[in-house]
Amino acid sequence: MTEQRNFLRNIWYYALPGRQLKPGQLFAKQLLGEPIVFGRTHAGEVFALRDICPHRAVPLSCGRFDGTAIECAYHGWRFDETGQCTLIPALNDNQDLDLSKFQVRRYPACESQGNVWIYMSEQERGEVIPKYPVPVVAGFEDAVYQSTYTMKFPCFIDHAVVGLMDPAHVPFVHRAWWWRSDAILTAEIKAFDPSPYGFTMRRHRLERQTFFYRLLGGDADVEIAFQLPGVRVEQIITNTNRVANLTVITPISETETEVTTMFYTTIGWFKPLLPILQPFITTFLGQDRDMVVKQQIGLKYDPPLMLIRDADTQAKWYYQLRSEFTKADAENREFVNPVKSQILSWRS
Ligand code: FES
Ligand SMILES: [Fe+2]
């Protein structure tokens, strides 16, 4: 399989933590190879526009924002949060120009559970209506994450996603005293079901109820859901608590991808743990990134890649989901989930 580097369109991508955007502020960020400027109005609304002035291409993020309108730094054209041009200062009073033709591309953006999401549409003009809502971490509908951490991976999105759902690398890549001290593999048997735009590892009781899980309340169940374009939610549910780890993958360009991992918990004593937890999260993600860096050495030669049964079935599903999403979109029909309920077994 030779690599195809196209991004999924008409789908929500995680963009940035909501806290990064204060009212009256702009924040420029490239996503899917496109320059985007995010902003938050004084009223608290989040918006996203193409970060290029339609006049002479100066980034709008270089301009001034008063919490209502952006004023371009070059000739002072003003745009509201919908991207509509509202003022061209160089015009005389008697020169009436139809400003409605001057419109910056607007992307649907929204804030959910502490995060800003952007709908990267195919359609460039006019109002875009997203086909479905933003992914949600169940059980924390009105909550904000308790910790968030982002790391850049020097690869195309697919390699970061496949790495995320690859059970077989764990004993080799994440070999550490606090996680896995050796490479003794154990047999795993897990049931999977299709779920919206992805699949879910069916909820099951954790076999190794270690000290940590007893601390969380005991009888820990786990459930892991994946959905396009690169959203993974792992839920740990105990007798008294719930911990959710949301990992989201966002392409910056064809060669750069951001991986963000967040925790939502009902645990009162989670916050003070963070300074202790943070280095572990960094190490863990860093191990994945280091492997991606090594993988890039080989990928330069565009070799065919192999996917084996069971251990790589989730990766296969990802590619199937991705291609069905693209096809359904192109044919303007409902997405039909290609995943069927299945038991997978592997050693890890
Ligand atoms: S380039 Fe933006 S106003 Fe001229
Ligand atoms: Fe990993």
Side-chain angles (χ1 to χ4, degrees):
M1 187 174 52
T2 352
E3 191 173 20
Q4 269 186 310
R5 291 191 166 186
N6 60 322
F7 297 122
L8 288 186
R9 293 282 164 173
N10 302 324
I11 195 163
W12 289 100
Y13 286 91
Y14 165 86
L16 62 143
R19 282 181 203 151
Q20 209 161 315
L21 214 50
K22 302 267 183 300
Q25 272 186 359
L26 298 176
F27 185 83
K29 182 165 184 167
Q30 179 178 237
L31 292 179
L32 280 67
E34 290 175 29
I36 316 273
V37 56
F38 291 90
R40 188 192 291 281
T41 63
H42 274 324
E45 285 303 309
V46 163
F47 62 89
L49 303 173
R50 183 166 164 83
D51 194 15
I52 296 182
C53 179
H55 184 215
R56 282 220 264 293
V58 166
L60 291 177
S61 57
C62 297
R64 248 193 301 267
F65 180 51
D66 63 5
T68 336
I70 303 177
E71 184 187 84
C72 179
Y74 204 173
H75 312 93
W77 289 23
R78 294 184 134 246
F79 301 90
D80 67 15
E81 83 274 9
T82 70
Q84 177 59 55
C85 181
T86 54
L87 179 79
I88 297 182
L91 290 177
N92 258 330
D93 285 350
N94 56 2
Q95 296 169 308
D96 59 340
L97 189 63
D98 180 10
L99 293 186
S100 71
K101 284 191 232 117
F102 299 82
Q103 170 85 40
V104 180
R105 177 172 183 184
R106 179 197 195 182
Y107 299 84
C110 83
E111 201 165 11
S112 166
Q113 300 180 307
N115 297 309
V116 176
W117 294 77
I118 183 170
Y119 188 78
M120 296 300 286
S121 59
E122 190 97 68
Q123 179 190 331
E124 294 186 15
R125 301 182 160 275
E127 200 189 349
V128 173
I129 316 250
K131 287 190 203 153
Y132 59 94
V134 155
V136 169
V137 181
F140 296 94
E141 281 74 6
D142 300 314
V144 169
Y145 54 79
Q146 298 209 335
S147 88
T148 182
Y149 186 80
T150 300
M151 197 176 269
K152 272 202 177 120
F153 283 33
C155 66
F156 181 60
I157 178 175
D158 287 0
H159 301 297
V161 174
V162 165
L164 191 71
M165 55 179 58
D166 168 19
H169 81 285
V170 177
F172 299 94
V173 173
H174 304 295
R175 208 180 289 189
W177 62 267
W178 50 271
W179 181 252
R180 297 281 298 251
S181 54
D182 49 35
I184 297 169
L185 306 188
T186 50
E188 303 269 357
I189 300 173
K190 298 284 173 345
F192 290 81
D193 298 302
S195 50
Y197 301 98
F199 53 86
T200 299
M201 181 191 283
R202 206 176 292 164
R203 183 168 165 170
H204 59 279
R205 188 58 46 93
L206 273 173
E207 279 153 41
R208 280 173 281 191
Q209 300 273 343
T210 56
F211 172 70
F212 175 69
Y213 293 114
R214 282 203 301 277
L215 211 61
L216 288 184
D219 292 342
D221 278 355
V222 68
E223 182 192 285
I224 304 175
F226 171 81
Q227 84 173 73
L228 291 173
V231 182
R232 178 189 187 271
V233 183
E234 176 165 357
Q235 297 255 12
I236 296 166
I237 303 136
T238 68
N239 290 325
T240 48
N241 281 303
R242 199 179 179 111
V243 178
N245 171 224
L246 167 66
T247 304
V248 283
I249 298 189
T250 305
I252 300 303
S253 67
E254 280 181 10
T255 54
E256 205 169 30
T257 299
E258 265 183 8
V259 180
T260 303
T261 193
M262 277 157 276
F263 285 94
Y264 294 81
T265 77
T266 54
I267 305 168
W269 42 266
F270 189 78
K271 264 257 146 78
L273 275 190
L274 276 178
I276 306 163
L277 214 63
Q278 198 64 49
F280 290 101
I281 299 170
T282 323
T283 306
F284 198 83
L285 269 185
Q287 290 167 335
D288 286 319
R289 188 200 41 206
D290 291 350
M291 195 47 67
V292 155
V293 170
K294 295 189 174 83
Q295 186 186 29
Q296 289 301 311
I297 302 169
L299 285 177
K300 272 205 302 259
Y301 303 93
D302 201 18
L305 303 176
M306 298 163 80
L307 293 169
I308 63 163
R309 257 186 55 187
D310 287 42
D312 290 336
T313 293
Q314 294 178 74
K316 261 187 218 173
W317 286 340
Y318 167 67
Y319 286 113
Q320 287 167 4
L321 286 159
R322 202 184 190 302
S323 90
E324 164 59 13
F325 190 90
T326 313
K327 263 194 230 134
D329 209 36
E331 293 164 15
N332 205 5
R333 60 164 171 84
E334 284 289 307
F335 171 86
V336 183
N337 197 323
V339 178
K340 302 277 171 283
S341 290
Q342 200 179 326
I343 310 275
L344 302 180
S345 65
W346 64 79
R347 293 177 71 78
S348 68

